Protein backbone atom coordinates (compact mmCIF):
# COMPACT_ATOMS: atom_id res chain seq x y z
CA UNK A 1 0.00 0.00 0.00
CA UNK A 2 1.10 3.52 -0.67
CA UNK A 3 1.27 5.89 2.29
CA UNK A 4 -1.27 8.67 2.71
CA UNK A 5 0.82 11.61 1.53
CA UNK A 6 2.54 9.65 -1.24
CA UNK A 7 3.72 12.00 -4.02
CA UNK A 8 2.48 11.02 -7.47
CA UNK A 9 4.46 12.94 -10.03
CA UNK A 10 5.94 13.17 -13.48
CA UNK A 11 9.50 13.99 -14.53
CA UNK A 12 11.26 15.83 -17.36
CA UNK A 13 14.66 17.42 -17.98
CA UNK A 14 15.62 20.77 -19.48
CA UNK A 15 17.52 19.78 -22.63
CA UNK A 16 14.95 17.10 -23.43
CA UNK A 17 11.91 19.40 -23.49
CA UNK A 18 12.72 23.12 -23.30
CA UNK A 19 14.05 24.02 -26.74
CA UNK A 20 14.73 27.78 -26.83
CA UNK A 21 18.39 26.91 -27.32
CA UNK A 22 19.29 30.33 -28.68
CA UNK A 23 16.92 32.66 -26.84
CA UNK A 24 17.94 35.88 -25.09
CA UNK A 25 21.42 35.61 -23.59
CA UNK A 26 21.28 31.89 -22.84
CA UNK A 27 24.71 30.25 -22.92
CA UNK A 28 25.31 27.07 -24.88
CA UNK A 29 25.74 23.71 -23.21
CA UNK A 30 27.57 20.53 -24.19
CA UNK A 31 24.43 19.03 -25.73
CA UNK A 32 23.69 22.18 -27.78
CA UNK A 33 27.18 22.03 -29.21
CA UNK A 34 28.03 18.31 -29.21
CA UNK A 35 24.81 17.16 -30.89
CA UNK A 36 25.81 19.06 -34.06
CA UNK A 37 28.46 16.50 -35.01
CA UNK A 38 26.98 14.03 -37.51
CA UNK A 39 26.68 10.41 -36.45
CA UNK A 40 26.18 11.04 -32.76
CA UNK A 41 22.40 11.36 -32.54
CA UNK A 42 19.72 9.37 -34.35
CA UNK A 43 19.15 10.97 -37.75
CA UNK A 44 21.10 14.05 -36.72
CA UNK A 45 18.24 15.27 -34.51
CA UNK A 46 18.84 17.98 -31.91
CA UNK A 47 17.08 19.56 -28.94
CA UNK A 48 17.11 23.15 -30.27
CA UNK A 49 13.30 23.27 -30.28
CA UNK A 50 12.38 19.91 -28.70
CA UNK A 51 8.89 20.28 -27.14
CA UNK A 52 9.20 24.08 -27.06
CA UNK A 53 8.40 23.95 -23.37
CA UNK A 54 10.30 27.24 -23.04
CA UNK A 55 7.31 28.90 -24.74
CA UNK A 56 4.59 26.38 -23.87
CA UNK A 57 5.25 25.78 -20.17
CA UNK A 58 1.90 27.24 -19.14
CA UNK A 59 0.07 24.73 -21.28
CA UNK A 60 2.20 21.92 -19.86
CA UNK A 61 1.42 22.97 -16.29
CA UNK A 62 -2.27 23.23 -17.19
CA UNK A 63 -2.15 19.64 -18.48
CA UNK A 64 -0.44 18.48 -15.29
CA UNK A 65 -3.17 20.10 -13.26
CA UNK A 66 -5.88 18.50 -15.39
CA UNK A 67 -4.30 15.08 -14.81
CA UNK A 68 -4.05 15.65 -11.04
CA UNK A 69 -0.23 15.49 -10.96
CA UNK A 70 1.03 16.17 -7.43
CA UNK A 71 4.75 16.69 -8.07
CA UNK A 72 6.72 17.90 -11.05
CA UNK A 73 10.38 16.99 -11.32
CA UNK A 74 12.19 19.19 -13.84
CA UNK A 75 15.73 20.43 -14.25
CA UNK A 76 17.30 23.86 -14.58
CA UNK A 77 19.35 24.45 -17.68
CA UNK A 78 22.51 25.74 -15.99
CA UNK A 79 23.62 27.87 -18.98
CA UNK A 80 20.15 29.40 -19.35
CA UNK A 81 20.47 30.80 -15.83
CA UNK A 82 24.22 31.45 -15.84
CA UNK A 83 25.25 31.91 -19.51
CA UNK A 84 28.94 31.54 -18.66
CA UNK A 85 28.37 28.85 -16.03
CA UNK A 86 29.45 31.22 -13.24
CA UNK A 87 29.14 34.96 -12.65
CA UNK A 88 26.42 36.88 -14.47
CA UNK A 89 22.81 35.73 -13.97
CA UNK A 90 20.59 35.90 -17.06
CA UNK A 91 17.47 37.98 -16.44
CA UNK A 92 15.60 35.91 -19.00
CA UNK A 93 16.69 32.61 -17.46
CA UNK A 94 15.63 33.86 -14.04
CA UNK A 95 12.27 35.06 -15.39
CA UNK A 96 11.59 31.73 -17.11
CA UNK A 97 12.14 29.57 -14.03
CA UNK A 98 10.36 31.98 -11.67
CA UNK A 99 7.34 32.06 -13.99
CA UNK A 100 7.33 28.28 -14.23
CA UNK A 101 7.49 28.00 -10.44
CA UNK A 102 4.68 30.56 -10.05
CA UNK A 103 2.54 28.58 -12.47
CA UNK A 104 3.18 25.37 -10.52
CA UNK A 105 2.30 27.09 -7.27
CA UNK A 106 -1.04 28.27 -8.72
CA UNK A 107 -1.72 24.71 -9.87
CA UNK A 108 -0.83 23.27 -6.44
CA UNK A 109 1.97 21.11 -7.85
CA UNK A 110 5.15 20.48 -5.80
CA UNK A 111 8.31 21.50 -7.67
CA UNK A 112 11.17 18.98 -7.42
CA UNK A 113 14.13 20.70 -9.05
CA UNK A 114 17.10 18.83 -10.44
CA UNK A 115 20.12 21.12 -10.56
CA UNK A 116 22.12 19.18 -13.10
CA UNK A 117 20.57 16.87 -15.67
CA UNK A 118 23.55 16.62 -18.07
CA UNK A 119 23.39 19.95 -19.98
CA UNK A 120 26.76 21.24 -18.74
CA UNK A 121 27.63 24.87 -19.67
CA UNK A 122 29.89 24.90 -22.70
CA UNK A 123 31.91 27.84 -21.33
CA UNK A 124 32.93 25.71 -18.35
CA UNK A 125 33.51 22.64 -20.49
CA UNK A 126 36.05 24.68 -22.44
CA UNK A 127 37.89 25.19 -19.17
CA UNK A 128 38.05 21.44 -18.58
CA UNK A 129 34.55 20.78 -17.24
CA UNK A 130 34.35 18.30 -14.38
CA UNK A 131 38.09 17.65 -14.74
CA UNK A 132 38.98 21.18 -13.67
CA UNK A 133 39.90 21.34 -9.94
CA UNK A 134 37.63 24.40 -9.66
CA UNK A 135 34.60 22.53 -11.02
CA UNK A 136 33.22 21.64 -7.55
CA UNK A 137 33.20 25.36 -6.69
CA UNK A 138 31.47 26.25 -9.97
CA UNK A 139 28.71 23.80 -9.15
CA UNK A 140 28.48 25.16 -5.60
CA UNK A 141 28.09 28.70 -6.94
CA UNK A 142 25.36 27.62 -9.38
CA UNK A 143 23.54 25.69 -6.63
CA UNK A 144 23.70 28.76 -4.37
CA UNK A 145 22.19 30.94 -7.12
CA UNK A 146 19.32 28.45 -7.55
CA UNK A 147 18.79 28.24 -3.79
CA UNK A 148 18.67 32.05 -3.41
CA UNK A 149 16.33 32.55 -6.35
CA UNK A 150 13.97 29.64 -5.80
CA UNK A 151 13.96 29.13 -2.03
CA UNK A 152 10.42 30.41 -1.55
CA UNK A 153 8.93 28.05 -4.11
CA UNK A 154 10.95 24.85 -4.39
CA UNK A 155 10.18 22.00 -2.01
CA UNK A 156 12.88 19.53 -3.11
CA UNK A 157 16.29 19.89 -4.71
CA UNK A 158 17.92 16.98 -6.52
CA UNK A 159 21.63 17.74 -6.79
CA UNK A 160 22.53 15.65 -9.82
CA UNK A 161 20.82 13.23 -12.14
CA UNK A 162 22.42 9.87 -12.94
CA UNK A 163 26.19 10.35 -12.55
CA UNK A 164 26.39 6.81 -13.92
CA UNK A 165 25.33 8.20 -17.32
CA UNK A 166 26.96 11.59 -17.68
CA UNK A 167 30.23 10.13 -16.40
CA UNK A 168 29.95 6.60 -17.85
CA UNK A 169 28.33 7.46 -21.19
CA UNK A 170 29.55 11.06 -21.36
CA UNK A 171 33.17 10.72 -20.28
CA UNK A 172 34.05 7.04 -20.68
CA UNK A 173 32.22 5.40 -23.62
CA UNK A 174 31.62 8.64 -25.53
CA UNK A 175 27.95 8.02 -26.40
CA UNK A 176 26.60 11.11 -24.64
CA UNK A 177 27.79 14.72 -24.41
CA UNK A 178 30.52 15.76 -24.02
CA UNK A 179 31.30 12.60 -26.07
CA UNK A 180 34.63 11.86 -24.38
CA UNK A 181 36.44 8.55 -24.16
CA UNK A 182 38.79 9.23 -21.29
CA UNK A 183 40.99 6.72 -19.47
CA UNK A 184 39.39 5.37 -16.29
CA UNK A 185 41.67 7.41 -14.02
CA UNK A 186 40.42 10.62 -15.65
CA UNK A 187 36.78 9.59 -15.35
CA UNK A 188 37.49 8.87 -11.69
CA UNK A 189 38.79 12.44 -11.39
CA UNK A 190 35.60 13.82 -12.98
CA UNK A 191 33.48 11.63 -10.67
CA UNK A 192 35.42 12.78 -7.61
CA UNK A 193 34.99 16.44 -8.57
CA UNK A 194 31.28 15.84 -9.13
CA UNK A 195 31.03 14.40 -5.62
CA UNK A 196 32.98 17.32 -4.14
CA UNK A 197 30.56 19.63 -5.97
CA UNK A 198 27.58 17.80 -4.48
CA UNK A 199 29.04 17.99 -0.98
CA UNK A 200 29.68 21.74 -1.29
CA UNK A 201 26.26 22.36 -2.88
CA UNK A 202 24.36 20.43 -0.21
CA UNK A 203 25.93 22.47 2.57
CA UNK A 204 25.34 25.80 0.75
CA UNK A 205 21.71 25.03 -0.04
CA UNK A 206 21.04 24.13 3.60
CA UNK A 207 22.65 27.36 4.74
CA UNK A 208 20.47 29.38 2.39
CA UNK A 209 17.18 27.47 2.67
CA UNK A 210 17.32 25.97 6.17
CA UNK A 211 14.71 23.25 6.70
CA UNK A 212 12.43 24.66 4.05
CA UNK A 213 13.68 22.31 1.37
CA UNK A 214 14.58 18.67 1.19
CA UNK A 215 17.71 17.61 -0.65
CA UNK A 216 18.37 14.36 -2.46
CA UNK A 217 19.98 12.77 -5.46
CA UNK A 218 18.73 10.73 -8.44
CA UNK A 219 20.72 7.63 -9.30
CA UNK A 220 20.53 5.40 -12.38
CA UNK A 221 19.74 2.13 -10.69
CA UNK A 222 19.57 -1.15 -12.55
CA UNK A 223 19.55 -3.65 -9.68
CA UNK A 224 20.70 -7.24 -9.97
CA UNK A 225 17.64 -9.45 -9.40
CA UNK A 226 17.51 -13.03 -8.12
CA UNK A 227 16.57 -15.81 -10.53
CA UNK A 228 15.21 -17.79 -7.56
CA UNK A 229 14.61 -16.89 -3.92
CA UNK A 230 17.94 -18.58 -3.12
CA UNK A 231 19.75 -15.88 -5.13
CA UNK A 232 18.57 -12.84 -3.14
CA UNK A 233 21.82 -12.43 -1.21
CA UNK A 234 23.83 -12.84 -4.39
CA UNK A 235 21.66 -10.24 -6.14
CA UNK A 236 22.28 -7.78 -3.32
CA UNK A 237 26.05 -8.35 -3.52
CA UNK A 238 26.09 -7.98 -7.30
CA UNK A 239 24.03 -4.79 -7.12
CA UNK A 240 26.66 -3.15 -4.96
CA UNK A 241 29.77 -4.74 -6.50
CA UNK A 242 32.31 -2.73 -8.49
CA UNK A 243 32.37 -4.07 -12.05
CA UNK A 244 35.12 -1.67 -13.04
CA UNK A 245 32.76 0.72 -14.73
CA UNK A 246 30.91 3.82 -13.55
CA UNK A 247 27.48 2.21 -13.42
CA UNK A 248 26.87 1.29 -9.78
CA UNK A 249 24.97 3.51 -7.33
CA UNK A 250 27.27 2.98 -4.38
CA UNK A 251 30.30 4.35 -6.28
CA UNK A 252 28.61 7.73 -5.65
CA UNK A 253 26.27 7.35 -2.72
CA UNK A 254 28.66 5.57 -0.34
CA UNK A 255 30.96 8.64 -0.47
CA UNK A 256 27.99 11.01 -0.19
CA UNK A 257 26.29 9.23 2.68
CA UNK A 258 29.11 7.34 4.46
CA UNK A 259 32.06 9.59 3.55
CA UNK A 260 33.90 6.61 2.05
CA UNK A 261 34.26 4.90 -1.32
CA UNK A 262 33.45 1.17 -1.28
CA UNK A 263 36.59 -0.98 -0.76
CA UNK A 264 36.45 -2.54 -4.23
CA UNK A 265 36.15 0.93 -5.80
CA UNK A 266 39.17 2.08 -3.77
CA UNK A 267 41.11 -0.94 -5.02
CA UNK A 268 40.15 -0.12 -8.64
CA UNK A 269 41.16 3.52 -8.12
CA UNK A 270 44.55 2.41 -6.76
CA UNK A 271 45.01 0.07 -9.71
CA UNK A 272 44.40 3.03 -12.06
CA UNK A 273 46.72 5.32 -10.10
CA UNK A 274 43.93 7.68 -9.04
CA UNK A 275 44.51 9.38 -5.69
CA UNK A 276 42.90 12.19 -3.68
CA UNK A 277 43.47 13.81 -0.29
CA UNK A 278 41.58 12.00 2.48
CA UNK A 279 40.25 15.36 3.71
CA UNK A 280 38.07 15.50 0.54
CA UNK A 281 35.80 12.87 2.01
CA UNK A 282 34.60 15.25 4.73
CA UNK A 283 33.59 17.74 2.06
CA UNK A 284 31.79 15.07 0.08
CA UNK A 285 29.92 13.57 3.03
CA UNK A 286 26.43 15.03 3.00
CA UNK A 287 23.11 14.84 4.72
CA UNK A 288 20.50 13.75 2.24
CA UNK A 289 16.78 13.70 3.03
CA UNK A 290 15.76 11.19 0.39
CA UNK A 291 17.29 8.71 -2.01
CA UNK A 292 16.04 9.14 -5.59
CA UNK A 293 16.07 6.12 -7.87
CA UNK A 294 15.64 6.01 -11.64
CA UNK A 295 14.80 2.43 -12.54
CA UNK A 296 13.51 0.89 -15.75
CA UNK A 297 14.55 -2.75 -15.41
CA UNK A 298 17.01 -5.07 -13.71
CA UNK A 299 19.53 -7.74 -14.50
CA UNK A 300 18.90 -11.34 -13.38
CA UNK A 301 21.66 -13.18 -11.54
CA UNK A 302 22.22 -16.71 -10.28
CA UNK A 303 24.98 -19.27 -9.64
CA UNK A 304 25.97 -21.93 -12.10
CA UNK A 305 28.68 -24.47 -11.27
CA UNK A 306 29.70 -22.26 -8.37
CA UNK A 307 30.10 -19.22 -10.62
CA UNK A 308 28.00 -16.03 -10.75
CA UNK A 309 26.18 -15.80 -14.06
CA UNK A 310 23.80 -13.30 -15.64
CA UNK A 311 21.60 -15.52 -17.81
CA UNK A 312 20.30 -13.90 -20.99
CA UNK A 313 16.56 -13.26 -20.84
CA UNK A 314 14.51 -15.81 -22.79
CA UNK A 315 13.22 -14.50 -26.14
CA UNK A 316 9.70 -14.55 -24.70
CA UNK A 317 10.53 -11.94 -22.07
CA UNK A 318 8.77 -8.70 -23.07
CA UNK A 319 10.97 -5.79 -24.10
CA UNK A 320 10.26 -2.08 -24.41
CA UNK A 321 11.17 0.03 -27.44
CA UNK A 322 14.54 0.68 -25.71
CA UNK A 323 15.00 -3.15 -25.76
CA UNK A 324 14.99 -3.10 -21.97
CA UNK A 325 13.27 -6.09 -20.38
CA UNK A 326 9.95 -5.57 -18.62
CA UNK A 327 10.94 -6.77 -15.16
CA UNK A 328 8.72 -5.36 -12.39
CA UNK A 329 10.73 -7.13 -9.66
CA UNK A 330 13.22 -4.26 -10.10
CA UNK A 331 10.74 -2.13 -8.14
CA UNK A 332 10.41 -4.74 -5.43
CA UNK A 333 13.96 -5.93 -4.71
CA UNK A 334 15.55 -2.67 -5.87
CA UNK A 335 14.17 -0.41 -3.13
CA UNK A 336 14.67 -3.10 -0.49
CA UNK A 337 18.41 -3.33 -1.24
CA UNK A 338 18.74 0.47 -1.07
CA UNK A 339 16.79 0.75 2.15
CA UNK A 340 18.86 -1.97 3.83
CA UNK A 341 22.11 -0.23 2.88
CA UNK A 342 21.23 3.44 3.35
CA UNK A 343 18.06 3.60 5.51
CA UNK A 344 16.84 6.75 3.71
CA UNK A 345 13.30 7.36 2.48
CA UNK A 346 13.15 6.32 -1.16
CA UNK A 347 11.57 8.23 -4.01
CA UNK A 348 11.23 6.84 -7.51
CA UNK A 349 12.46 9.93 -9.34
CA UNK A 350 11.99 8.09 -12.67
CA UNK A 351 10.31 4.99 -14.04
CA UNK A 352 8.47 4.54 -17.32
CA UNK A 353 8.37 2.88 -20.70
CA UNK A 354 9.14 3.76 -24.32
CA UNK A 355 6.76 2.20 -26.83
CA UNK A 356 6.68 2.20 -30.62
CA UNK A 357 3.35 3.99 -30.99
CA UNK A 358 1.57 6.60 -33.06
CA UNK A 359 -1.79 8.34 -33.27
CA UNK A 360 -4.40 6.01 -34.73
CA UNK A 361 -6.79 7.01 -37.51
CA UNK A 362 -9.10 8.52 -34.88
CA UNK A 363 -6.30 10.70 -33.53
CA UNK A 364 -5.93 8.68 -30.32
CA UNK A 365 -3.04 6.87 -28.70
CA UNK A 366 -4.36 3.70 -27.13
CA UNK A 367 -1.20 2.71 -25.28
CA UNK A 368 -2.55 -0.27 -23.39
CA UNK A 369 0.95 -1.69 -23.02
CA UNK A 370 1.99 1.39 -21.03
CA UNK A 371 -1.00 0.90 -18.73
CA UNK A 372 -0.03 -2.75 -18.33
CA UNK A 373 3.58 -1.74 -17.60
CA UNK A 374 2.43 0.75 -14.98
CA UNK A 375 0.19 -1.81 -13.31
CA UNK A 376 2.95 -4.39 -13.14
CA UNK A 377 5.65 -2.01 -11.85
CA UNK A 378 3.38 -0.19 -9.40
CA UNK A 379 2.09 -3.47 -7.97
CA UNK A 380 5.72 -4.46 -7.27
CA UNK A 381 6.39 -1.05 -5.76
CA UNK A 382 3.31 -1.32 -3.59
CA UNK A 383 4.60 -4.64 -2.19
CA UNK A 384 7.95 -2.98 -1.46
CA UNK A 385 6.15 -0.06 0.19
CA UNK A 386 4.70 -2.52 2.73
CA UNK A 387 8.25 -3.30 3.84
CA UNK A 388 10.34 -0.15 3.35
CA UNK A 389 9.74 3.61 3.28
CA UNK A 390 8.78 4.85 -0.17
CA UNK A 391 7.58 8.44 -0.41
CA UNK A 392 6.90 9.08 -4.08
CA UNK A 393 6.85 8.01 -7.70
CA UNK A 394 7.55 10.18 -10.74
CA UNK A 395 6.58 8.77 -14.11
CA UNK A 396 9.16 9.39 -16.86
CA UNK A 397 7.97 11.33 -18.69
CA UNK A 398 5.17 13.91 -18.76
CA UNK A 399 5.52 14.33 -22.53
CA UNK A 400 7.33 12.59 -25.38
CA UNK A 401 10.75 14.22 -25.70
CA UNK A 402 14.36 14.13 -26.87
CA UNK A 403 15.83 10.82 -25.74
CA UNK A 404 19.51 11.77 -25.98
CA UNK A 405 21.43 9.68 -28.57
CA UNK A 406 18.10 8.18 -29.68
CA UNK A 407 16.73 11.60 -30.65
CA UNK A 408 12.95 11.81 -30.83
CA UNK A 409 12.59 8.16 -31.88
CA UNK A 410 11.71 6.87 -28.39
CA UNK A 411 8.41 7.85 -26.82
CA UNK A 412 8.13 7.72 -23.04
CA UNK A 413 5.40 10.32 -22.55
CA UNK A 414 1.94 10.13 -21.00
CA UNK A 415 1.23 12.90 -23.47
CA UNK A 416 2.02 12.71 -27.17
CA UNK A 417 3.83 15.63 -28.82
CA UNK A 418 3.52 16.44 -32.50
CA UNK A 419 6.95 17.98 -33.12
CA UNK A 420 5.72 19.85 -36.22
CA UNK A 421 2.78 21.64 -34.59
CA UNK A 422 3.73 21.19 -30.91
CA UNK A 423 0.21 19.94 -30.31
CA UNK A 424 -0.10 17.91 -27.09
CA UNK A 425 -2.44 14.89 -27.03
CA UNK A 426 -2.91 12.95 -23.79
CA UNK A 427 -2.56 9.21 -24.33
CA UNK A 428 -4.92 6.63 -22.82
CA UNK A 429 -2.28 6.02 -20.12
CA UNK A 430 -2.57 9.66 -18.95
CA UNK A 431 -6.21 9.01 -18.03
CA UNK A 432 -5.18 5.79 -16.30
CA UNK A 433 -2.44 7.56 -14.30
CA UNK A 434 -4.97 10.20 -13.28
CA UNK A 435 -7.18 7.48 -11.77
CA UNK A 436 -4.13 5.96 -10.06
CA UNK A 437 -3.47 9.32 -8.44
CA UNK A 438 -7.10 9.90 -7.47
CA UNK A 439 -7.26 6.50 -5.76
CA UNK A 440 -3.75 6.69 -4.24
CA UNK A 441 -2.81 3.57 -6.15
CA UNK A 442 -5.98 1.46 -5.78
CA UNK A 443 -6.57 1.64 -9.53
CA UNK A 444 -3.53 -0.57 -10.25
CA UNK A 445 -5.31 -3.64 -8.81
CA UNK A 446 -8.27 -3.44 -11.19
C1 LIG B 1 17.29 8.43 -17.56
C2 LIG B 1 17.46 9.91 -17.71
O1 LIG B 1 17.56 10.58 -16.49
C3 LIG B 1 16.46 10.54 -18.63
O2 LIG B 1 17.03 11.73 -19.07
C4 LIG B 1 16.13 9.59 -19.76
O3 LIG B 1 15.37 10.18 -20.76
C5 LIG B 1 15.38 8.39 -19.17
N1 LIG B 1 16.18 7.79 -18.12
C6 LIG B 1 15.00 7.32 -20.20
O4 LIG B 1 16.12 6.77 -20.75
Amino acid sequence: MFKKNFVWGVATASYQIEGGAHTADKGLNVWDVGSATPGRIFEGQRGDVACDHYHLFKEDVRLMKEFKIGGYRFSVNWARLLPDGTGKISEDGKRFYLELLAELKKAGIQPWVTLFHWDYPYALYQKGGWLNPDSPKWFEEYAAVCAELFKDDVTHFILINEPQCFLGLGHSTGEHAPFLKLPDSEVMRAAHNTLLGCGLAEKRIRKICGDRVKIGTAQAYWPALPVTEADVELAREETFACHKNFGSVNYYTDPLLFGKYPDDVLAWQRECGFTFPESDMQIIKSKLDFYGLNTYSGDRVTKKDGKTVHPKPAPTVPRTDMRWTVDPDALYYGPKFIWERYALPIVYTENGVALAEWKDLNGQINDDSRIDFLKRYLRALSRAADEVEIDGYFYWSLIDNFEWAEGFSKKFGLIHVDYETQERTPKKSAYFYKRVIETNGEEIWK
Side-chain angles (χ1 to χ4, degrees):
M1 273 229 322
F2 299 105
K3 61 200 295 192
K4 251 201 164 123
N5 52 353
F6 193 81
V7 181
W8 293 100
V10 288
T12 64
S14 42
Y15 187 74
Q16 296 180 271
I17 65 161
E18 279 182 4
H22 305 285
T23 42
D25 56 344
K26 174 186 164 294
L28 295 177
N29 61 58
V30 292
W31 276 94
D32 289 324
V33 178
S35 60
T37 301
R40 284 177 171 168
I41 315 293
F42 175 73
E43 296 196 341
Q45 295 170 347
R46 307 183 62 189
D48 283 23
V49 179
C51 311
D52 203 19
H53 175 79
Y54 174 77
H55 293 109
L56 300 176
F57 68 95
K58 288 192 178 162
E59 184 181 346
D60 291 336
V61 175
R62 186 191 61 69
L63 280 163
M64 279 188 262
K65 187 172 179 204
E66 184 185 331
F67 285 89
K68 299 281 164 38
I69 301 300
Y72 178 42
R73 176 183 172 223
F74 64 96
S75 73
V76 174
N77 183 330
W78 185 341
R80 188 183 299 288
L81 195 60
L82 299 175
D84 303 316
T86 55
K88 190 192 89 181
I89 299 173
S90 157
E91 280 307 310
D92 184 68
K94 186 170 137 185
R95 172 204 59 77
F96 173 67
Y97 291 111
L98 287 175
E99 284 184 13
L100 171 60
L101 287 165
E103 219 45 37
L104 289 167
K105 192 176 250 175
K106 268 199 280 169
I109 298 169
Q110 272 184 19
W112 291 54
V113 174
T114 311
L115 293 178
F116 178 57
H117 199 125
W118 308 353
D119 38 9
Y120 196 80
Y122 193 65
L124 297 182
Y125 172 67
Q126 285 178 303
K127 294 184 191 167
W130 288 114
L131 289 163
N132 188 310
D134 287 335
S135 58
K137 290 220 167 74
W138 299 337
F139 184 63
E140 179 191 13
E141 178 184 334
Y142 162 60
V145 169
C146 291
E148 288 287 359
L149 289 176
F150 309 142
K151 61 173 182 275
D152 295 333
D153 299 315
V154 169
T155 55
H156 297 74
F157 277 115
I158 291 166
L159 300 171
I160 42 165
N161 179 68
E162 297 197 349
Q164 294 77 7
C165 294
F166 75 84
L167 292 162
L169 302 176
H171 290 73
S172 178
T173 64
E175 293 156 83
H176 279 187
F179 302 99
L180 299 176
K181 291 185 188 174
L182 300 174
D184 289 343
S185 60
E186 291 289 276
V187 187
M188 288 166 182
R189 167 82 44 215
H192 192 73
N193 285 337
T194 302
L195 291 171
L196 283 165
C198 287
L200 291 171
E202 181 265 337
K203 289 159 195 74
R204 273 298 279 283
I205 297 172
R206 290 210 192 272
K207 216 174 199 172
I208 295 166
C209 302
D211 304 334
R212 263 175 305 184
V213 299
K214 298 217 181 301
I215 303 174
T217 168
Q219 301 288 314
Y221 181 49
W222 202 277
L225 302 172
V227 170
T228 71
E229 272 301 304
D231 300 317
V232 174
E233 194 43 49
L234 174 69
R236 184 183 295 108
E237 280 167 22
E238 276 290 283
T239 294
F240 298 119
C242 171
H243 297 285
K244 298 199 174 175
N245 60 32
F246 297 92
S248 72
V249 291
N250 48 316
Y251 188 112
Y252 312 95
T253 56
D254 276 18
L256 280 174
L257 293 163
F258 304 149
K260 187 181 175 306
Y261 282 104
D263 288 339
D264 50 5
V265 168
L266 283 170
W268 182 38
Q269 289 174 335
R270 265 197 305 275
E271 206 180 287
C272 297
F274 172 72
T275 56
F276 55 87
E278 196 43 44
S279 54
D280 282 0
M281 299 316 290
Q282 277 320 305
I283 302 172
I284 291 173
K285 196 171 177 199
S286 302
K287 181 180 163 296
L288 297 183
D289 301 304
F290 62 96
Y291 196 118
L293 294 171
N294 299 352
T295 297
Y296 294 82
S297 187
D299 183 18
R300 294 282 168 174
V301 67
T302 189
K303 284 262 183 209
K304 203 174 170 205
D305 304 328
K307 279 202 186 125
T308 300
V309 289
H310 295 260
K312 289 212 179 4
T316 46
V317 172
R319 298 227 179 215
T320 74
D321 198 32
M322 296 294 281
R323 297 203 185 161
W324 300 339
T325 53
V326 175
D327 202 341
D329 273 357
L331 260 59
Y332 174 68
Y333 291 106
K336 289 196 357 152
F337 294 165
I338 294 293
W339 175 259
E340 285 154 9
R341 191 176 182 94
Y342 298 107
L344 268 188
I346 291 166
V347 175
Y348 270 86
T349 37
E350 281 183 32
N351 170 248
V353 58
L355 297 175
E357 60 191 6
W358 56 86
K359 267 192 193 175
D360 65 21
L361 290 170
N362 299 317
Q364 293 170 341
I365 296 114
N366 290 308
D367 54 340
D368 289 310
S369 297
R370 184 168 287 107
I371 295 173
D372 184 70
F373 177 97
L374 274 166
K375 281 189 181 171
R376 289 174 193 261
Y377 274 66
L378 287 173
R379 284 179 187 188
L381 186 64
S382 161
R383 279 171 59 216
D386 291 338
E387 300 177 42
V388 306
E389 186 177 344
I390 300 175
D391 289 353
Y393 174 92
F394 290 71
Y395 179 80
W396 181 274
S397 179
L398 169 67
I399 47 182
D400 289 341
N401 60 48
F402 181 85
E403 177 58 22
W404 309 112
E406 306 288 343
F408 297 100
S409 66
K410 305 295 177 198
K411 298 173 193 322
F412 279 92
L414 293 173
I415 294 173
H416 173 274
V417 175
D418 178 325
Y419 297 111
E420 293 290 313
T421 61
Q422 294 297 347
E423 189 193 358
R424 272 70 166 144
T425 309
K427 303 177 190 177
K428 192 172 174 184
S429 58
Y431 296 92
F432 170 76
Y433 194 49
K434 182 180 176 193
R435 289 195 303 278
V436 171
I437 297 170
E438 284 168 342
T439 60
N440 199 31
E442 279 311 301
E443 185 72 19
I444 62 173
W445 301 105
K446 288 186 188 155

